[in-house]
């Protein structure tokens, strides 16, 4: 068994009203994935080889897609693998924009089979599946459905390989979420072979 020797850094306490938003009522909270990427740009540097960055995004802060956009602002993404429950409309549009701008070459997704049903817990049909599959087909991205509950994003970039472990799905979900962003071929390859195949 390989041993890991990593340095860790933490995105300290988020200060300022725009970066520390808690849900205090039943009203819906909205956030912008590009604003989330900007928060990360102000607060952190990309991990170096063998380093991990751990972060907590408070409600309305940043999402998984925001992390991808932040990394894409620092390095070209040659290949992205994303494992998640489902992918939101704004998020697949943002990934398509990265692809069309030349900042992302290709992407592969593994989603939970239940996401094909398009229904929320209240039975409302959001049309996520058709929209997601159409955008992927336009970009030449691949996707599949499985009995999946993992939330891992792998980025093979011009600056190296990053593995993002998170509680956050790849959709708009303004809740408290945790992230561990590691720059490591070993961690990347571990998840790549275990979730996405060789």
């Amino acid at each position: 068994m390989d041993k890991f020797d990593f340095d860790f850094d933490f995105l300290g306490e988020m200060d300022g009203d725009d970066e520390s938003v808690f849900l205090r009522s039943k009203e819906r909270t909205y956030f912008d994935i590009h604003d989330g990427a900007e928060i990360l740009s102000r607060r952190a540097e990309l991990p170096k080889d063998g380093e991990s960055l751990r972060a907590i995004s408070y409600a309305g802060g940043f999402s998984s897609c925001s992390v991808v956009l932040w990394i894409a602002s620092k390095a070209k993404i040659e290949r992205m693998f994303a494992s998640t429950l489902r992918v939101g409309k704004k998020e697949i549009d943002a990934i398509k924009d990265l692809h069309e701008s030349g900042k992302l070459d290709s992407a592969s997704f593994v989603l939970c089979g239940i996401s094909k049903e398009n229904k929320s817990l209240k039975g409302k049909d959001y049309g996520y599946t058709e929209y997601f599959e159409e955008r992927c087909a336009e970009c030449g991205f691949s996707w599949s459905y499985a009995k999946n509950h993992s939330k891992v994003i792998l980025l093979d970039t011009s600056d190296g390989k990053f593995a993002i472990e998170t509680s956050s799905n790849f959709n708009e979900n303004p809740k408290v979420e945790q992230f561990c962003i590691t720059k490591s071929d070993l961690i990347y390859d571990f998840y790549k072979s275990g979730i996405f195949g060789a």
Side-chain angles (χ1 to χ4, degrees):
M1 178 182 218
D2 292 314
K3 292 186 177 181
F4 300 106
D5 182 19
F6 289 102
D7 290 326
F8 290 93
D9 193 9
F10 295 88
L11 224 86
E13 246 180 318
M14 303 291 258
D15 53 353
D17 292 336
D18 63 329
E19 295 177 4
S20 183
V21 181
F22 290 88
L23 293 178
R24 299 189 188 277
S25 71
K26 293 187 176 181
E27 292 181 24
R28 183 158 181 184
T29 298
Y30 294 90
F31 66 89
D32 184 291
I33 53 181
H34 297 282
D35 287 348
E38 180 58 32
I39 289 170
L40 286 162
S41 290
R42 289 195 309 266
R43 301 290 301 198
E45 296 294 325
L46 289 181
K48 296 180 175 57
D49 288 326
E51 290 182 345
S52 288
L53 172 67
R54 293 182 182 270
I56 296 171
S57 171
Y58 296 110
F62 56 89
S63 65
S64 291
C65 190
S66 298
V67 175
V68 173
L69 295 176
W70 170 57
I71 293 174
S73 73
K74 310 284 187 187
K76 180 181 178 180
I77 301 172
E78 294 161 7
R79 185 94 170 130
M80 179 179 90
F81 296 91
S83 170
T84 185
L85 174 69
R86 71 173 40 152
V87 178
K89 291 181 177 180
K90 286 189 247 181
E91 288 71 19
I92 193 60
D93 283 343
I95 297 304
K96 182 182 177 196
D97 289 346
L98 281 182
H99 176 68
E100 291 176 346
S101 69
K103 295 180 180 179
L104 168 73
D105 287 342
S106 66
S108 298
F109 297 89
V110 175
L111 286 73
C112 181
I114 199 168
S115 68
K116 286 178 72 171
E117 296 176 13
N118 274 333
K119 301 253 194 288
S120 71
L121 293 175
K122 296 178 182 177
K124 183 175 179 182
D125 185 345
Y126 290 114
Y128 282 133
T129 300
E130 291 84 2
Y131 194 86
F132 167 75
E133 291 181 356
E134 287 169 7
R135 297 304 169 273
C136 283
E138 289 168 7
C139 296
F141 299 160
S142 63
W143 69 91
S144 62
Y145 299 95
K147 291 184 178 179
N148 179 51
H149 198 256
S150 63
K151 296 161 192 79
V152 175
I153 303 163
L154 305 176
L155 302 176
D156 187 355
T157 78
S158 58
D159 190 43
K161 293 180 178 178
F162 295 87
I164 303 159
E165 303 161 276
T166 179
S167 62
S168 170
N169 285 303
F170 213 92
N171 60 351
E172 183 176 356
N173 190 15
K175 294 180 171 60
V176 176
E177 305 284 2
Q178 55 53 249
F179 297 85
C180 179
I181 305 160
T182 305
K183 184 177 182 186
S184 165
D185 289 3
L186 187 61
I187 302 292
Y188 177 100
D189 292 342
F190 170 75
Y191 282 117
K192 170 70 170 59
S193 61
I195 299 172
F196 302 96

